[in-house]
Amino acid sequence: NASKYFETISSNMESFLFLNHCCFVYRFLISKIEWFLIEKKESDLINEEEVHSFEPEVTNINGFVYFQFYKASAEFYAKNYSATIQTLNKLINEVSFKNISFAEMEAKSFLALVNTICGRHDQAEVNIRSVSRKIADENEETKYVAASLLLKIIKASASPKKNEKLEKMIESNQLLNATNVGKYAFLPYIKLNEEILKSLAK
């Protein structure tokens, strides 16, 4: 029932993105990722015109953050990992996360994930330590259950026990998918399928 409305908005995305004065249009971009995942067309996100033709001003912090997550996700599902890293680094370097620490943890965890896939383990470890430290400082375990599970998967990929680590990563990912819902869902639009987990486990 929602598909016809989704298609109407999506086909007029360039105009829709200029309506931020009356509604939070950038949240729709995240819904678009989720829709493409349902349709199993996530690799086609990179072909969407708004990825290339539009970008909010960095002064519009919420819009800028959502847009960069959308762009990075499109690049990630297209397996353009170098572009994903560049987009996430831009986000982290240009935005002050003082009042949006949850988004900062998402950005750094996402970056750790992609750096690990690319074999850049030292860079990934820097981000993992940063996120782990912030989780410990806030001392709210229930808030960061999903974040901790994602970090567990990333860290497990570095295990020397090749025969066991993929199995453990799959188990942790199943638990992540089952629990990553609600108010504190953590990067819910980044789904780790078996192919991605195998890339991590190399």
Side-chain angles (χ1 to χ4, degrees):
N1 290 335
S3 62
K4 62 180 180 181
Y5 302 106
F6 177 88
E7 294 299 339
T8 298
I9 295 175
S10 191
S11 63
N12 293 282
M13 181 61 70
E14 189 173 355
S15 299
F16 181 67
L17 288 173
F18 285 103
L19 298 178
N20 196 52
H21 62 285
C22 61
C23 61
F24 188 34
V25 298
Y26 299 105
R27 180 61 184 82
F28 180 77
L29 295 174
I30 303 304
S31 298
K32 191 166 187 174
I33 302 171
E34 293 167 344
W35 178 258
F36 272 61
L37 284 166
I38 290 170
E39 294 291 297
K40 301 187 185 303
K41 296 179 180 178
E42 59 270 22
S43 60
D44 293 337
L45 278 165
I46 196 67
N47 299 321
E48 296 298 289
E49 187 62 29
E50 63 269 14
V51 173
H52 310 287
S53 63
F54 185 87
E55 184 169 309
E57 296 291 331
V58 70
T59 51
N60 178 4
I61 293 178
N62 286 333
F64 186 82
V65 168
Y66 270 85
F67 185 86
Q68 299 305 328
F69 275 135
Y70 173 73
K71 185 178 180 183
S73 299
E75 293 160 344
F76 175 75
Y77 287 120
K79 300 181 182 179
N80 190 347
Y81 299 129
S82 59
T84 311
I85 290 170
Q86 185 177 0
T87 298
L88 291 170
N89 276 325
K90 176 180 180 179
L91 171 59
I92 292 167
N93 292 331
E94 294 190 15
V95 169
S96 171
F97 289 97
K98 183 178 180 180
N99 297 316
I100 48 173
S101 60
F102 195 90
E104 180 182 13
M105 293 186 202
E106 287 185 304
K108 289 184 175 179
S109 298
F110 194 175
L111 185 57
L113 171 68
V114 184
N115 273 323
T116 302
I117 291 173
C118 294
R120 301 171 59 173
H121 300 289
D122 290 342
Q123 293 93 326
E125 182 60 29
V126 170
N127 293 124
I128 290 170
R129 284 201 303 267
S130 176
V131 175
S132 299
R133 186 166 56 249
K134 287 181 180 295
I135 291 174
D137 288 345
E138 290 199 22
N139 195 27
E140 292 187 55
E141 289 185 13
T142 55
K143 183 177 178 179
Y144 296 109
V145 169
S148 297
L149 280 169
L150 179 59
L151 293 183
K152 181 179 179 180
I153 292 169
I154 298 171
K155 288 188 284 188
S157 69
S159 170
K161 298 179 180 179
K162 295 183 178 181
N163 295 331
E164 298 177 12
K165 66 179 178 181
L166 180 59
E167 183 179 340
K168 290 183 178 179
M169 290 165 66
I170 291 173
E171 289 177 1
S172 295
N173 189 52
Q174 289 172 342
L175 182 58
L176 174 62
N177 289 332
T179 58
N180 195 21
V181 294
K183 183 178 179 180
Y184 298 117
F186 195 82
L187 292 172
Y189 44 87
I190 299 301
K191 299 298 184 182
L192 307 182
N193 57 34
E194 190 169 341
E195 182 182 358
I196 295 172
L197 290 174
K198 286 180 179 178
S199 295
L200 276 170
K202 286 183 179 177

